[in-house]
Amino acid sequence: MKIYGSLYKDVLTINIEGEIDECVSLEARERLEIIIDEHQCRCVVFDLSKITFMDSTGIGIMMGRYKKLKNKRIPTYILNPSPYAEKIFTMTRLFDLMPRIYNKEAV
Amino acid sequence: MKEKKENNPQNYMELKIPAQSVNESFARSAVAAFAVQLNPTVEQINDIKTAVSEAVTNCIVHGYEKEGGEIIIKAKIESNALHIDVEDSGKGIDNIEQAMQPFFTTKPEQERSGMGFTVMQAFSDDLKVYNKEEGGLKVSMKKIFNTKNGGKNA
């Protein structure tokens, strides 16, 4: 699992790659907290194009990030979800909260 | 058009692993590898991996509350259906109906989505959950693969 972020014109893009499950969940949360706290932004885009596995633990992690960012009035988007991310996001209706986008120009 | 007849022989496997998080990936890959003989699509393999991951994670986080224990995973192929049982000897579930409701979780402070059973239900064709007489929980899932390589998600 790899998580890294980059800031460009107030848009924080966070890339999450690999398998997200309960085993890596603590590390994932910690990484995400650090990246989010380190950057001032007006919105966050999660690039999930390289997710190769995600179960409901990953959904819990994303929901937690969504809530914390929402409290700071920062909207979140999901960029190019891989089929693995796409299916579980659709099934849990998380796209209703974190809309899908296909390019960063959309925000 | 001739229908391709898959004559899958009866086959089974049993896996016993410690309830450690590091085994989640192994468990889902093991069941997925066993399922390959059913000619699954990429999506079906992923569904199986996800469902097994949910069940195994539940054993670790809820059944044993991360204090160790053992998980037994059994898989069986019978007339184009894959049956998967995941069981533990942990604390079981007081109210199974409540536990299976979407978003219900006994550990909200841990940022749990409460969607484990919902995902298992969506990714399998049949799901049964019950407390074992001797203690612990058993989760039984069934996934059907029809002869045209279909099943529920075709």
Side-chain angles (χ1 to χ4, degrees):
Chain A
M1 177 202 67
K2 232 165 80 168
I3 299 179
Y4 54 96
S6 59
L7 186 69
Y8 180 68
K9 290 191 177 174
D10 288 2
V11 175
L12 175 61
T13 301
I14 303 181
N15 292 264
I16 307 179
E17 301 178 0
E19 301 198 340
I20 305 297
D21 63 6
E22 190 274 328
C23 185
V24 301
S25 62
L26 183 61
E27 188 191 332
R29 276 197 185 89
E30 286 174 353
R31 277 295 288 146
L32 288 165
E33 291 279 287
I34 288 170
I35 293 169
I36 290 169
D37 286 345
E38 269 178 2
H39 297 90
Q40 290 266 46
C41 61
R42 65 170 171 82
C43 77
V44 174
V45 172
F46 289 102
D47 183 329
L48 301 186
S49 57
K50 297 202 171 84
I51 293 274
T52 54
F53 177 83
M54 186 182 263
D55 63 10
S56 69
T57 310
I59 296 296
I61 295 170
M62 298 305 291
M63 271 170 60
R65 305 297 59 71
Y66 164 79
K67 284 179 191 165
K68 286 198 171 173
L69 287 163
K70 184 168 177 236
N71 284 339
K72 297 203 259 184
R73 299 188 194 288
I74 296 173
T76 48
Y77 302 90
I78 306 297
L79 176 65
N80 291 327
S82 74
Y84 308 98
E86 168 94 31
K87 186 158 186 181
I88 196 158
F89 263 72
T90 304
M91 208 232 107
T92 54
R93 309 206 51 181
L94 206 47
F95 284 134
D96 291 356
L97 302 178
M98 305 168 83
R100 219 200 249 99
I101 58 171
Y102 294 103
N103 60 68
K104 288 191 218 179
E105 279 70 52
V107 299
Chain B
M1 180 153 103
K2 251 196 201 169
E3 234 179 66
K4 190 174 166 208
K5 225 178 173 184
E6 293 288 343
N7 208 2
N8 287 307
Q10 178 107 3
N11 202 355
Y12 63 90
M13 68 89 147
E14 187 170 322
L15 194 64
K16 196 188 279 190
I17 50 174
Q20 294 172 17
S21 300
V22 71
N23 281 330
E24 286 156 15
S25 181
F26 166 62
R28 56 183 184 252
S29 293
V31 178
F34 178 71
V36 164
Q37 60 197 280
L38 285 158
N39 285 323
T41 61
V42 169
E43 185 176 355
Q44 286 169 325
I45 279 287
N46 189 59
D47 289 355
I48 291 164
K49 285 173 83 172
T50 311
V52 170
S53 194
E54 300 290 357
V56 167
T57 299
N58 277 352
C59 297
I60 295 167
V61 169
H62 298 289
Y64 294 117
E65 298 195 299
K66 297 228 168 191
E67 282 173 16
E70 234 170 36
I71 301 171
I72 299 174
I73 299 164
K74 296 179 192 170
K76 185 173 72 172
I77 292 171
E78 226 170 35
S79 22
N80 286 333
L82 174 66
H83 300 258
I84 303 167
D85 284 348
V86 178
E87 58 184 283
D88 64 55
S89 304
K91 67 181 219 242
I93 296 179
D94 284 337
N95 186 341
I96 290 180
E97 202 179 314
Q98 183 183 62
M100 289 181 74
Q101 281 168 24
F103 303 111
F104 176 85
T105 177
T106 51
K107 298 186 195 307
E109 72 286 355
Q110 286 180 26
E111 281 188 359
R112 304 225 161 266
S113 68
M115 293 297 275
F117 282 125
T118 307
V119 172
M120 281 184 249
Q121 236 155 4
F123 290 16
S124 65
D125 294 303
D126 189 46
L127 175 70
K128 287 183 176 59
V129 180
Y130 41 99
N131 288 302
K132 300 184 328 182
E133 237 178 74
E134 60 271 41
L137 196 78
K138 183 163 175 173
V139 173
S140 293
M141 297 179 269
K142 179 168 137 180
K143 194 157 179 76
I144 297 167
F145 295 77
N146 70 30
T147 51
K148 283 198 182 122
N149 194 15
K152 186 162 106 171
N153 293 315

